[in-house]
Amino acid sequence: MDKFIVGGNGPLTGEVASSGAKNAALPILCAALLSDAPLHLSNVPKLWDINTTKKLLSQMGVKVEQTGEHEISLDAKPITTHIAPYELVRTMRASILVLGPLVAARGEAHVSLPGGCAIGARPVDLHLMGLKAMGAEITLEGGFVHAKAAKLKGARIVFDTVTVTGTENLMMAATLADGETVLENAAREPEVVDLAKCLRAMGAKIEGEGTTTIRIQGVKALHEASHAVLPDRIETGTFLVAGAATRGKVRVTRTDPAMLDAVLVKLQQAGALVRTGTDFIEVDMQGRRPQAVNIHTMPHPGFPTDMQAQFMAMNCLAEGVGVVKETIFENRFMHAQELIRLGAEIRIDGHTAITTGKDRLAAAPIMATDLRASAALVIAAMMAEGETVIDRVYHMDRGYEDIEGKFSALGAKIKRVGRQF
């Protein structure tokens, strides 16, 4: 199993390009199941989760062709099964996104209940509630969801909590349903908007994405389309926070500043000079130590939970006391114990973490516990005296493309090694 060795670092400086967004690419890959015509995608990141999804779709009979380094073409016409097996689904929660498209286009789905990062309960009951409202017959047996419907019907669906994958699953299912489907209290994340953009290119009739009410008029069939996946706002934010934590100057290109308003406000509060253009963001700390900031995670357009760990790492190195309140996932402070091993001063009180910043941390062997925690540990390790060994970095490979290469390009002392016995 791979691990990272990270050396104590000076300020990160330089420029790095954002990859395509994992959380947009995964549902868009699943959208190929809605049509018998090809779907051509570009700006698809090279990640474990992408590979897992490709394997899952291929196993179902979808023709998946890697046409370029970041380009994929999919053809679901030869699909042979509606089963998504446990062996693949258990490693990645986003696999549940095949459920809606399979029921809508193939009339049936047999999908294992999902796995993924151990950051708390993320039930799929809202997905199932929505499909039932659209006329699907749902049974749960042996760890599988079995959904069946000769033809889905349009319905008004009100989510009692905001759910990104639930919104995406039901939006995809509704594209082929009879009549109009209205999703109320829908997720507003940029990745939901990007999925709607792709579906519209395929011939779907969707309006209201990016607001709390999405309306979908069902059509008889979708057609061939091409779509470029939007930039990864979390990867972008991770490199910007790393620049701020190390008192450096980092520019991220091929990104979209409009997706990161809440993050950029917090970086400015930390003392960073923030410059933006149509496709870049630059953070410049001018050699200064960051100021601690308070974070309260919320659904978009609030502060993203996927940036919480990175800001906690920065707060550990900042001047003053920072308070982080996590309202999305109940187990998302597991990285705090690893940061404490590096000498960070953190106190956990329920869903709140209180950090008192230090000028430097101290190297220690630590372990990644989930995807975003991995990035936070790298940021902290770059500001620790000595060499820090980070184990279980496969979590990072699920969501960051060549992160050690990109950090190295900014001057970081980081290398990947295999496990030594």
Side-chain angles (χ1 to χ4, degrees):
M1 191 179 295
D2 290 1
K3 54 190 173 184
F4 286 156
I5 298 178
V6 183
N9 216 81
L12 295 184
T13 58
E15 181 176 295
V16 66
S18 171
S19 299
K22 173 185 84 91
N23 289 340
L26 295 178
I28 287 170
L29 286 167
C30 296
L33 292 166
L34 290 164
S35 176
D36 281 344
L39 176 62
H40 310 286
L41 303 176
S42 58
N43 201 35
V44 181
K46 295 165 63 179
L47 305 168
W48 274 17
D49 277 8
I50 298 295
N51 288 337
T52 299
T53 304
K54 288 165 59 180
K55 288 178 185 176
L56 176 60
L57 295 173
S58 295
Q59 189 165 313
M60 291 179 176
V62 178
K63 183 180 177 183
V64 180
E65 184 180 0
Q66 191 79 36
T67 55
E69 187 177 12
H70 297 99
E71 289 80 44
I72 299 174
S73 288
L74 305 103
D75 184 356
K77 187 174 182 179
I79 190 170
T80 55
T81 180
H82 54 262
I83 299 173
Y86 173 72
E87 307 88 74
L88 290 174
V89 176
R90 71 183 177 86
T91 64
M92 188 183 67
R93 183 179 183 274
S95 301
I96 196 68
L97 287 164
V98 303
L99 181 64
L102 281 174
V103 177
R106 316 292 163 172
E108 190 172 6
H110 202 66
V111 181
S112 174
L113 290 170
C117 284
I119 57 174
R122 295 189 281 182
V124 299
D125 56 332
L126 297 179
H127 305 233
L128 306 185
M129 173 272 295
L131 288 173
K132 283 183 180 178
M134 297 171 74
E137 180 183 315
I138 307 286
T139 57
L140 297 174
E141 186 177 353
F144 277 80
V145 176
H146 188 198
K148 199 170 184 179
K151 185 69 174 178
L152 294 176
K153 309 292 184 183
R156 179 172 178 265
I157 299 165
V158 181
F159 297 110
D160 57 12
T161 59
V162 177
T163 165
V164 174
T165 53
T167 299
E168 292 168 339
N169 228 339
L170 297 180
M171 183 167 65
M172 287 190 283
T175 60
L176 297 177
D178 281 338
E180 181 181 69
T181 299
V182 180
L183 305 179
E184 300 277 8
N185 196 28
R188 294 184 280 171
E189 271 70 5
E191 295 79 13
V192 173
V193 175
D194 203 41
L195 173 61
K197 184 178 178 182
C198 177
L199 293 171
R200 194 177 292 115
M202 297 169 70
K205 295 182 178 179
I206 302 173
E207 62 181 30
E209 71 276 8
T211 75
T212 57
T213 302
I214 302 176
R215 295 180 181 274
I216 307 102
Q217 296 287 343
V219 298
K220 289 188 177 181
L222 300 179
H223 53 65
E224 184 171 1
S226 298
H227 178 75
V229 176
L230 89 170
D232 195 315
R233 62 192 172 106
I234 305 304
E235 182 197 40
T236 297
T238 297
F239 287 116
L240 295 175
V241 171
T246 61
R247 312 176 193 185
K249 180 179 180 181
V250 169
R251 174 178 287 209
V252 181
T253 61
R254 293 175 53 193
T255 191
D256 182 357
M259 297 190 297
L260 284 152
D261 287 342
V263 169
L264 298 186
V265 166
K266 290 300 176 182
L267 284 168
Q268 288 173 323
Q269 290 178 7
L273 296 177
V274 177
R275 294 182 59 236
T276 62
T278 56
D279 64 350
F280 77 87
I281 307 171
E282 182 179 274
V283 162
D284 186 359
M285 290 302 294
Q286 298 182 310
R288 299 189 304 263
R289 186 179 174 193
Q291 300 295 312
V293 295
N294 296 333
I295 299 296
H296 188 133
T297 64
M298 295 285 286
H300 193 79
F303 188 90
T305 181
D306 280 354
M307 285 301 304
Q308 175 256 105
Q310 299 89 315
F311 268 84
M312 187 186 294
M314 184 189 74
N315 275 351
C316 291
L317 298 155
E319 290 186 19
V321 176
V323 179
V324 174
K325 186 169 184 180
E326 175 60 57
T327 68
I328 308 298
F329 297 126
E330 67 271 22
N331 289 343
R332 209 160 201 181
F333 284 156
M334 292 188 292
H335 51 277
Q337 293 303 319
E338 302 304 306
L339 292 171
I340 290 170
R341 286 178 57 81
L342 296 175
E345 188 174 331
I346 305 172
R347 181 168 61 87
I348 304 296
D349 183 6
H351 297 294
T352 302
I354 303 162
T355 62
T356 301
K358 293 187 173 182
D359 187 60
R360 299 288 286 194
L361 300 177
I366 53 178
M367 180 177 68
T369 54
D370 64 69
L371 170 54
R372 304 307 171 184
S374 305
L377 298 182
V378 172
I379 291 170
M382 288 189 294
M383 289 295 285
E385 300 288 352
E387 284 192 338
T388 297
V389 177
I390 307 176
D391 208 347
R392 300 180 70 182
V393 298
Y394 64 84
H395 286 293
M396 197 170 306
D397 295 330
R398 290 185 51 229
Y400 290 96
E401 179 179 340
D402 187 27
I403 191 167
E404 68 271 30
K406 291 186 177 184
F407 268 132
S408 293
L410 297 174
K413 300 173 183 176
I414 179 172
K415 62 181 178 180
R416 181 187 292 257
V417 297
R419 172 170 284 179
Q420 298 174 358
F421 294 93

